[in-house]
Amino acid sequence: MPDAIAGFGKPLLLLVYLLAAAWITGHALLNKREPRSALGWIVLAWMLPLLGALLYFWLGVNRLERRAQRELGIAPLREVPPSEPLPDVPGVPVEVRELLRLGRILTGRPLAPGNSVTPLHGGEQAYPDMLAAIARARKTVWLETYIFDHGEAAQAFALALGDAQRRGVHVRVLLDGVGSLTLHGRGIRLLHSQDITTAKFLPLKLFPPMLHANLRNHHKLLVVDGSIAFTGGMNVSDTHYVERGGMADLQFRIEGPVVAQLEGVFIDDWRFAAGEKLAPTEPPPASGTVTCRVVTDGPNDAVDRLQLILLAAIANAHKRVCIMTPYLIPTPELSGALQAAALRGLSIEIVLPRKSDQFWVDAATRRWLTQLVGRAVKVHYRADRAHTKLFIMDGYYALVGSANMDPRSLRLNFELDVELYHTGVVGELQRHFDEVRARSVEVTEATLRRRPLWRRLADAAMWLFSPYL
C-alpha cells in the first residue's frame, strides 16, 4: 500500500506543477506590464517546480489593484478637455506648459497656487518644527509614516500625540505593515501606551493570507488641522539626526491650498487601511507664492505616474536636470532619457551616497553607472550618509517627497511626492544640491573600470536583478 501511494503521489505532484506553471504563464502574460518581468516569472515557474509558483503567488500577484481602485476610487487617467485653459504659473516658461497638462491628466489634481514651502534639513530641523505643530493642534493630527522607530524621536512624537489627544484633538497614526516591524514593533508600543488610534497598511498575515511583502506604503506625511503639512523622505527615527552620525535628509513644511490635497491622501489611505471615513477640513487660504501639486503613485495605478512625469520633465528641460537620491536603479526608459538629454547638450547631474544601507542596490547601481557616465551624465559620490530625494529641472521645477529612483519606488511602493513650481524655493534646493556636489567626488568610466574583475562581476550579477531590487 505505501508503494502504491508513493506511486500515485509523483504523478499528482507533476500534475500540480504543470497546472501551476501553466496558470502562472497565462497570468503573467496577461497582467504584467513589462515583457522582461513576465518572462522572468514564467522562467521561474517552469525552472523551479512548485517553489517558483509559491514565489509568484507571494510576490508576483498584485491583488491590490481592484480592491484599491474600488475603495480608494482611483481613476487611472483623467481626460482634460482641449478647451480647459492651462494655468499661467509665474516664472514658468510657456514652452513647458505640456508638463502642466500631463500632471493634470495623470494625477487628476489641479495645480494649487498660493503655498509656502520650507525645506527642513535633518531631524535637527524637521522634528522640532513637526512637534511644535502637533503642540499647537486644535482639531486634527494625521500622521502617516513608513517607520515609527523606537528611540528619542519616536518617544517625543508619542508624547506629543498623546498630549494632543488629551486636549481633545482627533489623532490618527497610519504605519506601514512591514516598516512597522522595525525593532519588533517597539515603536508601536510607544503609541499604544498613549492610547493613540493606529492602523497598519497591509500588515503581513498568514490567516487569511496577506503576504504583500513588496507592496509597501512609503508615504511620510503629517497633516495638522488641515492647514499645515510636512512631507518628504524622513521617517520617525533617530537615524535622521545628522549631527549624531545619521542620514542627511529633507522634510518640507507646507502651508496653503495644496495641504487639502495632502490631507486627502491621508483620508484615502486611512479608509483603505482602517475602514474609517474621516471628514476633510476646510481648504486653507493662500499662504505664499509657490504653485504645487500632489503626485501619488502605487501598484494599483494603471499607469506609472511618477515615471511618466519624470520622463516628461527631462524631455521639457532646456538647461539642467539634477537628481539626488539614496538609491539609483533607473528603469531602461529613465536611463535612456537621461543619456539622450546629456547627449543633446543638457547638464545632467546625479549625486549619490558612496554607500547606502543596501549593499546589493549599491552593486547594481555601479553597473548602471557604467552606461550613464559613458553618455555624458555627471555622477558624484557624496561622502556622508544620505537619504535625500530631489529632482530639479531648470531652476523652476522640483519634485520632492518619498520616492527613490529605483523600481521599488517607481513600480511597487505607494509613494507620495509634491511638484513645486517656483524659482525661489527651487533655487534654494538647487543651491543645496550644488553645495553637496561641490563636496563630492566625481565618478568616471576609468574609476569604474579599475575595479577588480570579481567586483565588477558581482556588480553585474546584482544588476541582473534590477527590476526586483
Side-chain angles (χ1 to χ4, degrees), residues 294-337:
V294 169
V295 181
T296 53
D297 199 3
N300 57 301
D301 292 323
V303 295
D304 298 321
R305 295 179 185 176
L306 277 172
Q307 174 162 273
L308 288 175
I309 288 174
L310 290 168
L311 291 172
I314 295 168
N316 275 276
H318 287 73
K319 298 177 181 178
R320 192 179 185 193
V321 171
C322 298
I323 296 171
M324 186 179 290
T325 180
Y327 315 116
L328 178 71
I329 301 182
T331 62
E333 295 86 351
L334 274 177
S335 177

Side-chain angles (χ1 to χ4, degrees), residues 415-447:
E415 300 287 357
L416 170 61
D417 277 32
V418 180
E419 290 184 304
L420 308 178
Y421 290 89
H422 193 264
T423 54
V425 171
V426 176
E428 181 180 349
L429 296 176
Q430 185 67 70
R431 288 189 292 274
H432 170 68
F433 180 94
D434 291 339
E435 289 170 2
V436 174
R437 187 204 55 192
R439 301 192 303 267
S440 303
V441 177
E442 186 173 358
V443 182
T444 66
E445 282 188 276
T447 57

Side-chain angles (χ1 to χ4, degrees), residues 200-356:
K200 293 182 181 180
F201 190 95
L202 290 178
L204 302 183
K205 296 179 182 178
L206 291 177
F207 302 102
M210 287 280 287
L211 301 175
H212 308 292
N214 270 334
L215 307 179
R216 306 318 330 151
N217 187 327
H218 204 229
H219 297 178
K220 288 91 172 175
L221 177 63
L222 172 66
V223 183
V224 178
D225 289 341
S227 62
I228 182 171
F230 297 82
T231 191
M234 294 176 58
N235 297 293
V236 178
S237 171
D238 289 356
T239 58
H240 294 296
Y241 286 122
V242 180
E243 295 175 3
R244 305 179 192 179
M247 298 183 295
D249 209 336
L250 277 174
Q251 200 83 333
F252 295 84
R253 182 177 71 241
I254 302 176
E255 298 176 79
V258 79
V259 174
Q261 295 184 15
L262 291 165
E263 183 185 58
V265 171
F266 182 91
I267 290 173
D268 287 342
D269 289 349
W270 183 262
R271 183 178 60 196
F272 180 81
E276 179 187 11
K277 294 183 68 173
L278 302 174
T281 57
E282 288 293 324
S287 180
T289 58
V290 186
T291 299
C292 303
R293 175 165 39 217
V294 169
V295 181
T296 53
D297 199 3
N300 57 301
D301 292 323
V303 295
D304 298 321
R305 295 179 185 176
L306 277 172
Q307 174 162 273
L308 288 175
I309 288 174
L310 290 168
L311 291 172
I314 295 168
N316 275 276
H318 287 73
K319 298 177 181 178
R320 192 179 185 193
V321 171
C322 298
I323 296 171
M324 186 179 290
T325 180
Y327 315 116
L328 178 71
I329 301 182
T331 62
E333 295 86 351
L334 274 177
S335 177
L338 292 170
Q339 294 176 49
L343 290 174
R344 64 186 173 93
L346 273 68
S347 176
I348 308 298
E349 303 165 57
I350 302 174
V351 172
L352 308 169
R354 183 180 296 275
K355 290 184 179 179
S356 73

Side-chain angles (χ1 to χ4, degrees), residues 363-376:
T365 296
R366 286 189 291 268
R367 180 62 177 83
W368 278 106
L369 293 185
T370 59
Q371 301 179 26
L372 294 174
V373 299
R375 297 293 187 275

Side-chain angles (χ1 to χ4, degrees), residues 14-239:
L14 178 62
L15 179 62
V16 170
Y17 155 64
L18 292 174
L19 289 174
W23 182 89
I24 289 170
T25 299
H27 190 275
L29 288 173
L30 294 175
N31 291 279
K32 292 300 176 185
R33 299 182 189 176
E34 295 188 358
R36 61 181 180 274
S37 175
L39 179 61
W41 282 115
I42 291 170
V43 170
L44 198 66
W46 289 100
M47 296 298 292
L48 296 178
L50 300 183
L51 176 59
L54 290 174
L55 289 172
Y56 186 78
F57 290 134
W58 182 28
L59 299 174
V61 179
N62 184 0
R63 300 175 181 86
L64 286 179
E65 185 169 347
R66 290 183 180 178
R67 177 188 170 195
Q69 291 187 358
R70 180 179 67 249
E71 297 189 23
L72 298 180
I74 295 177
L77 287 175
R78 178 192 179 277
E79 292 294 335
V80 177
S83 59
E84 181 175 315
L86 290 172
D88 183 16
V89 181
V92 177
V94 174
E95 58 265 27
V96 297
R97 284 194 169 191
E98 293 84 356
L99 183 59
L100 306 180
R101 179 179 291 278
L102 180 68
R104 181 77 166 108
I105 294 171
L106 289 175
T107 68
R109 299 183 178 98
L111 283 170
N115 305 280
S116 65
V117 179
T118 305
L120 303 170
H121 296 264
E124 288 82 0
Q125 289 188 10
Y127 292 156
D129 214 348
M130 295 168 73
L131 292 168
I134 296 172
R136 293 190 299 267
R138 293 296 176 263
K139 298 176 182 178
T140 59
V141 174
W142 314 140
L143 174 63
E144 183 173 1
T145 183
Y146 180 67
I147 294 173
F148 193 92
D149 218 336
H150 178 78
E152 181 181 320
Q155 291 175 11
F157 273 85
L159 290 174
L161 293 168
D163 289 342
Q165 184 165 268
R166 286 185 286 273
R167 294 196 309 271
V169 176
H170 194 201
V171 178
R172 293 291 183 268
V173 177
L174 179 59
L175 307 174
D176 181 71
V178 171
S180 61
L181 298 177
T182 302
L183 293 178
H184 310 291
R186 284 190 289 168
I188 298 177
R189 290 200 288 272
L190 287 172
L191 294 168
H192 289 170
S193 70
Q194 299 293 320
D195 295 323
I196 303 298
T197 301
T198 63
K200 293 182 181 180
F201 190 95
L202 290 178
L204 302 183
K205 296 179 182 178
L206 291 177
F207 302 102
M210 287 280 287
L211 301 175
H212 308 292
N214 270 334
L215 307 179
R216 306 318 330 151
N217 187 327
H218 204 229
H219 297 178
K220 288 91 172 175
L221 177 63
L222 172 66
V223 183
V224 178
D225 289 341
S227 62
I228 182 171
F230 297 82
T231 191
M234 294 176 58
N235 297 293
V236 178
S237 171
D238 289 356
T239 58

